[in-house]
């Protein structure tokens, strides 16, 4: 099976993705300087972005990982109920935390994460999202860094999955509607 055959189109090709991530890395590096930020990757989708963003940064920083799941799982629609399935290994008290997400859709995942992380008293807490889908937002969330605003289409690739596949594609593609309807 060729995953590419299930795509309606490529929304963001690899070279545009990488160019934008390079810019974000430079901007984050300028903003944080010597603050030694802790980049928190939201698994699994955020892993490709975290790895490229980290390599686009030229300041000392640390990495950590967290996994949050929609309760009962989700394929196309978020249930709106989320829980921690893997917690950080770092103590974030008085640390400058930058949450790195692949996509903000309804905002439930980040809303939950921000609430939890804020109870741990970080020195600062900011969000860096590669993709922002404003049409689907339920929760009002301040995004400090955004790679691309995208239309309300079912996107896969570069960390984003459908039924756990497509994460390895080096670009963002739009899934053919017949794949999920
Ligand atoms: C996706 C994505 C975000 C979240 C965004 O994760 O990686 O974390 O959904 O959706 P929301 O704004 O509506 O909450 P998913 O739960 O599919 O898990 P995954 O990253 O492991 O694929």
């Amino acid at each position: 099976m060729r995953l590419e055959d299930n795509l309606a189109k490529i929304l963001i090709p690899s070279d545009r993705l990488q160019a934008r991530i390079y810019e974000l890395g430079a901007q984050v590096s300028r903003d944080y300087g010597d603050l030694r930020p802790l980049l928190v990757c939201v698994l699994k989708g955020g892993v490709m972005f975290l790895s490229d963003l980290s390599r686009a940064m030229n300041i000392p920083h640390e990495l950590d990982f967290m996994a949050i799941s929609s309760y009962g799982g989700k394929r196309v629609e978020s249930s709106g109920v989320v829980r921690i399935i893997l917690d950080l290994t770092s103590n974030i008290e008085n640390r400058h935390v930058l949450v790195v997400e692949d996509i903000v859709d309804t905002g439930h995942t980040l809303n939950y994460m921000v609430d939890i992380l804020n109870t741990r008293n970080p020195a600062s807490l900011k969000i860096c999202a590669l993709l922002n889908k404003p049409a689907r937002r339920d929760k009002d969330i301040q995004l400090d860094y955004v790679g691309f605003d995208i239309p309300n289409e079912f996107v896969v690739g570069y960390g984003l999955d459908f039924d756990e596949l497509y994460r390895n594609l080096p670009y963002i593609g739009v899934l053919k509607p017949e794949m999920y309807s």
Side-chain angles (χ1 to χ4, degrees):
M1 174 177 74
R2 277 170 38 91
L3 294 175
E4 293 87 339
D5 294 340
N6 299 332
L7 301 181
K9 65 176 177 188
I10 292 179
L11 186 66
I12 309 172
S14 173
D15 56 345
R16 273 187 69 208
L17 266 184
Q18 293 301 328
R20 182 71 186 120
I21 293 166
Y22 186 82
E23 286 175 359
L24 286 171
Q27 192 184 347
V28 168
S29 298
R30 273 196 308 275
D31 291 353
Y32 283 90
D34 288 331
L35 293 177
R36 192 175 167 151
L38 176 71
L39 271 54
V40 170
C41 173
V42 187
L43 293 172
K44 303 172 193 170
V47 72
M48 308 290 177
F49 180 38
L50 175 89
S51 118
D52 283 337
L53 181 70
S54 171
R55 285 177 290 183
M57 289 170 59
N58 60 3
I59 57 165
H61 61 279
E62 296 179 41
L63 309 178
D64 206 343
F65 299 86
M66 203 163 174
I68 307 260
S69 174
S70 298
Y71 202 68
K74 74 173 178 188
R75 280 164 65 96
V76 178
E77 292 292 323
S78 171
S79 65
V81 184
V82 283
R83 66 194 162 110
I84 294 183
I85 51 177
L86 175 76
D87 206 344
L88 299 174
T89 56
S90 324
N91 178 357
I92 62 167
E93 189 167 359
N94 295 323
R95 298 295 309 272
H96 293 277
V97 175
L98 181 62
V99 176
V100 177
E101 257 286 26
D102 52 344
I103 185 165
V104 186
D105 193 358
T106 63
H108 288 293
T109 306
L110 269 180
N111 186 60
Y112 176 78
M113 274 198 71
V114 164
D115 280 355
I116 297 262
L117 295 178
N118 269 330
T119 65
R120 302 178 186 179
N121 299 318
S124 68
L125 180 58
K126 288 188 175 181
I127 294 168
C128 180
L130 179 64
L131 305 177
N132 178 33
K133 208 191 257 188
R136 299 241 316 154
R137 195 63 38 80
D138 260 357
K139 297 280 181 186
D140 192 22
I141 294 183
Q142 188 198 332
L143 303 178
D144 301 281
Y145 305 92
V146 172
F148 301 88
D149 285 328
I150 60 166
N152 189 12
E153 295 185 289
F154 196 103
V155 286
V156 293
Y158 198 73
L160 290 117
D161 76 305
F162 173 62
D163 202 15
E164 293 301 326
L165 296 179
Y166 303 88
R167 295 192 197 273
N168 60 306
L169 299 178
Y171 49 78
I172 303 291
V174 175
L175 202 60
K176 285 180 179 166
E178 60 261 39
M179 298 304 300
Y180 55 85
S181 54

